[in-house]
């Protein structure tokens, strides 16, 4: 900083040195006309004044007088002769000082003009910035008004009743759908408690539901069902959804009321139709069961009148087949409208009926059923039941001749891929190795093949002691 302040003085000194060097060859002329030659020094003073102001100019003026007097005047005249040129010397001093003063005033004027120009530039920049900010503010206000208009349009065009609540549960704003739904004129809802729109017996529950509402991750509460109350006192069912808006002391709650009267009516109609369908199905199963039992009874009466043993066996087998189907309808009737039966319960009952039908000694022949947790629809249960009936009947009739004792096992279990495995095995005498059950003339074994095909299943005889027939078939579970 100090070096900067010395610059004007060094520049002035350099100017005086340059002027003195230039005028030195003309010193004889200067001695004859010192006043005129001194104007050169005045030019230096004036330049310093214009560039750096009053103080450097005055200092330059004093230095110029001393240099001029010491270099050009005194060496020739001597100090005792110098007074003869006093007028020139005084003129030079006055001229130089005047030039310094004028220069300093000009410099001051210049600086003030520069300052004024700088202030004017700042004012212009500020004006430009204010205009730009004003334009941006107008754009922001227009965007805000447009956004508010869109939100207001969405708010008013919502198909459900939408109310905005403060922390105390008072209505701050309500859309036009609310006025139509509840029958209140515009503006009358504002300031009312939202519980006034709820049926009297449910207001405390609604207040508790609203008070327990905490902001979930998605900003929405689960739907809750209430009954609403119109201005005329009539009530109707609604779904209520709460949403949060804002936070802290200024937080608001948005509550949406949806009229579910039509949905309730539809639900009631569907429920009534389902109940009617269940009743009709129960009645159908009951009547089918009764009709099959009548047929079984007729076949039983006819069997008693027959004398041919082979014909009696054929009638008995037919009765067993009909009983297996009748039993399915009985189980469906007892399942209270379900379209499926418990396969374990069904097979246990079916095999027990077969043992009693043939009047066999259960101490000599034991029949076990091993069924995992499987439920069957009627389209699967009928052919599956007939398969069990045919295979168990075949074992009861042929596996244990005479007094031979043994065991019959019925297994039904699920495999991977939605496949069921039915296995009927015994430890009796077994089938002849050369017998192909697929081509035999036995009606029972031919029915086994046909029923497996009906299930789109695969039937095969396994290598085991006695006889083991396996059927695998797919089922939708």
């Amino acid at each position: 900083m100090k070096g900067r302040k010395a610059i004007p003085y060094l520049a002035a000194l350099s100017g005086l040195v340059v002027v003195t060097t230039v005028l030195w060859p003309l010193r004889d002329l200067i001695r004859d006309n010192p006043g005129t030659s001194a104007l050169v020094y005045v030019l230096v003073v004036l330049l310093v004044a214009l560039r750096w102001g009053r103080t450097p100019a005055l200092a330059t003026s004093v230095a110029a007088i001393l240099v001029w007097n010491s270099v050009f005047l005194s060496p020739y005249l001597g100090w005792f002769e110098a007074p003869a040129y006093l007028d020139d010397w005084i003129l030079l001093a006055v001229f130089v000082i005047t030039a310094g003063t004028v220069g300093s005033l000009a410099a001051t004027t210049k600086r003030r003009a520069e300052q004024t120009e700088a202030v004017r530039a700042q004012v212009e920049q500020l004006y430009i910035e204010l205009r730009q900010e004003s334009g941006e503010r107008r754009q922001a206000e227009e965007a805000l008004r447009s956004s508010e208009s869109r939100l207001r349009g969405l708010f008013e065009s919502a198909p459900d009743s939408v109310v905005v609540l403060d922390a105390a549960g008072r209505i701050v704003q309500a859309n036009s759908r609310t006025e139509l739904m509840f029958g209140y004129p515009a503006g009358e809802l504002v300031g009312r408690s939202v519980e006034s729109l709820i049926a009297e017996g449910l207001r405390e529950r609604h207040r508790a539901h609203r008070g327990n509402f905490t902001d979930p991750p998605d900003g929405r509460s689960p739907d809750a069902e209430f009954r609403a109350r119109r201005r005329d006192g009539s009530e109707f069912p609604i779904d209520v959804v709460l949403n949060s808006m804002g936070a802290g002391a200024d937080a608001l709650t948005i509550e949406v009321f949806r009229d579910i009267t039509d949905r309730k009516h539809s639900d009631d109609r569907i429920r009534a139709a389902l109940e009617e369908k269940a009743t009709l199905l129960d009645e159908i199963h009951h009547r089918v069961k009764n009709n099959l039992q009548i047929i079984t009874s007729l076949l039983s009466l006819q069997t008693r009148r027959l004398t041919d043993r082979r014909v009696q066996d054929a009638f008995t087998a037919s009765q067993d087949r009909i009983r297996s189907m009748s039993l399915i309808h009985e189980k469906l009737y007892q399942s209270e409208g379900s379209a499926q039966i418990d396969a374990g319960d069904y097979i246990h009952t079916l095999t027990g009926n077969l043992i009693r039908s043939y009047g066999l000694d259960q101490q000599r022949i034991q029949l076990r059923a091993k069924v995992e947790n499987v439920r069957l629809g009627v389209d699967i249960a009928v052919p599956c039941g007939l398969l069990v009936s045919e295979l168990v009947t075949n074992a009861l009739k042929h596996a244990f001749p005479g007094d031979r004792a043994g065991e019959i096992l019925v297994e039904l279990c699920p495999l991977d891929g939605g496949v069921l495995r039915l296995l009927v095995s015994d430890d009796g005498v077994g089938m002849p190795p050369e017998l192909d059950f697929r081509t035999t003339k036995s009606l029972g074994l031919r029915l086994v093949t046909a029923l497996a095909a009906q299930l789109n299943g695969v039937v095969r005889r396994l290598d085991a002691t006695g006889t083991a027939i396996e059927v695998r078939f797919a089922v939708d579970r």
Side-chain angles (χ1 to χ4, degrees):
M1 190 68 183
K2 292 181 179 180
R4 282 181 152 187
K5 290 183 177 180
I7 290 176
Y9 302 99
L10 292 175
L13 181 59
S14 299
L16 293 176
V17 171
V18 172
V19 170
T20 303
T21 302
V22 172
L23 295 179
W24 178 256
L26 305 175
R27 57 187 179 279
D28 293 335
L29 295 175
I30 292 172
R31 183 179 58 186
D32 296 334
N33 191 11
T36 304
S37 60
L39 292 176
V40 181
Y41 288 95
V42 173
L43 180 60
V44 175
V45 174
L46 185 59
L47 292 175
V48 172
L50 290 173
R51 181 64 182 84
W52 287 291
R54 185 186 333 183
T55 301
L58 293 177
T60 306
S61 300
V62 174
I65 293 171
L66 294 176
V67 171
W68 181 80
N69 182 61
S70 301
V71 175
F72 293 102
L73 188 59
S74 297
Y76 296 95
L77 301 177
W79 287 97
F80 295 100
E81 298 179 10
Y85 293 89
L86 182 59
D87 293 339
D88 291 332
W89 192 89
I90 292 172
L91 178 61
L92 174 62
V94 172
F95 212 174
V96 170
I97 293 171
T98 302
T101 303
V102 171
S104 66
L105 292 175
T108 302
T109 302
K110 180 181 177 182
R111 283 196 303 273
R112 289 180 177 176
E114 290 174 351
Q115 292 174 353
T116 302
E117 181 64 23
V119 171
R120 187 186 66 80
Q122 292 178 355
V123 171
E124 288 182 353
Q125 182 64 29
L126 181 60
Y127 176 70
I128 292 173
E129 292 176 356
L130 287 175
R131 287 190 60 185
Q132 183 178 0
E133 182 179 353
S134 177
E136 293 176 351
R137 182 176 297 175
R138 283 197 300 272
Q139 292 178 357
E141 290 175 352
E142 291 175 359
L144 180 60
R145 283 194 296 270
S146 177
S147 176
E148 289 177 348
S149 176
R150 288 195 298 271
L151 290 175
R152 184 67 184 178
L154 291 173
F155 182 73
E156 291 297 335
S157 62
D160 300 321
S161 165
V162 182
V163 294
V164 181
L165 312 176
D166 60 14
R170 291 185 296 270
I171 298 175
V172 177
Q173 192 175 5
N175 65 349
S176 56
R177 181 63 181 172
T178 306
E179 300 167 0
L180 293 174
M181 184 180 293
F182 291 92
Y184 287 91
E188 188 174 331
L189 287 170
V190 176
R192 297 174 63 95
S193 171
V194 69
E195 272 71 38
S196 64
L197 303 179
I198 305 297
E200 292 184 4
L202 299 174
R203 290 178 181 176
E204 288 301 322
R205 177 187 159 208
H206 179 269
R207 185 177 289 107
H209 174 70
R210 185 169 50 80
N212 294 332
F213 170 65
T214 56
D215 205 1
D218 59 355
R220 168 180 169 168
S221 71
D223 293 2
E225 188 173 317
F226 290 89
R227 289 193 65 81
R229 186 175 187 274
R230 297 187 181 91
R231 191 183 187 206
D232 60 6
S234 60
E235 297 182 0
F236 61 99
I238 57 170
D239 265 348
V240 173
V241 178
L242 296 172
N243 291 270
S244 60
M245 183 174 66
D250 297 331
L252 298 174
T253 300
I254 299 176
E255 187 160 4
V256 180
F257 299 119
R258 173 168 294 177
D259 188 346
I260 58 173
T261 302
D262 293 339
R263 192 182 79 188
K264 282 289 187 181
H265 290 164
S266 299
D267 291 345
D268 292 341
R269 288 193 296 269
I270 292 172
R271 189 178 298 107
L274 290 175
E275 291 176 355
E276 182 180 1
K277 178 182 177 181
T279 302
L280 290 174
L281 284 175
D282 289 343
E283 183 65 21
I284 289 172
H285 291 313
H286 183 62
R287 292 193 178 189
V288 169
K289 176 184 72 71
N290 290 342
N291 291 336
L292 291 175
Q293 286 180 344
I294 291 173
I295 295 174
T296 304
S297 299
L298 292 175
L299 289 175
S300 178
L301 291 173
Q302 186 65 38
T303 302
R304 295 173 186 174
R305 299 175 62 87
L306 296 174
T307 58
D308 189 332
R309 183 65 181 175
R310 294 179 60 187
V311 177
Q312 286 181 345
D313 290 344
F315 269 66
T316 301
S318 297
Q319 293 176 56
D320 291 337
R321 293 167 186 142
I322 294 173
R323 286 194 189 100
S324 70
M325 293 185 288
S326 174
L327 182 60
I328 292 173
H329 291 282
E330 181 179 351
K331 295 296 183 182
L332 287 171
Y333 176 71
Q334 294 172 353
S335 64
E336 297 180 354
S338 175
Q340 294 183 328
I341 63 172
D342 183 347
D345 178 48
Y346 169 65
I347 290 178
H348 278 93
T349 306
L350 176 62
T351 54
N353 290 343
L354 291 174
I355 289 288
R356 288 189 293 272
S357 174
Y358 283 88
L360 298 177
D361 184 3
Q362 298 186 29
Q363 298 297 324
R364 184 172 66 88
I365 302 176
Q366 295 184 0
L367 199 156
R368 291 193 304 114
K370 183 180 178 182
V371 182
E372 296 187 16
N373 185 22
V374 176
R375 297 188 67 82
L376 300 175
V378 65
D379 54 336
I380 300 294
V382 169
C384 185
L386 288 172
L387 276 171
V388 172
S389 178
E390 293 300 329
L391 293 172
V392 171
T393 299
N394 186 71
L396 290 172
K397 291 170 65 176
H398 305 292
F400 308 103
D403 294 333
R404 184 185 178 97
E407 181 183 70
I408 301 173
L409 175 64
V410 179
E411 293 186 53
L412 181 64
C413 61
L415 303 178
D416 294 336
V419 175
L420 288 181
R421 175 179 181 264
L422 173 64
L423 175 65
V424 179
S425 61
D426 63 71
D427 55 0
V429 297
M431 292 183 181
E434 67 278 4
L435 178 65
D436 185 356
F437 68 91
R438 295 181 180 84
T439 59
T440 182
K441 295 182 179 180
S442 169
L443 178 60
L445 293 179
R446 289 170 63 188
L447 281 175
V448 169
T449 303
L451 292 169
Q454 183 179 340
L455 291 171
N456 295 320
V458 177
V459 58
R460 62 174 180 161
R461 184 170 68 177
L462 304 180
D463 293 332
T465 301
T467 303
I469 303 296
E470 179 191 69
V471 181
R472 296 192 180 194
F473 54 94
V475 60
D476 294 331
R477 302 185 65 197

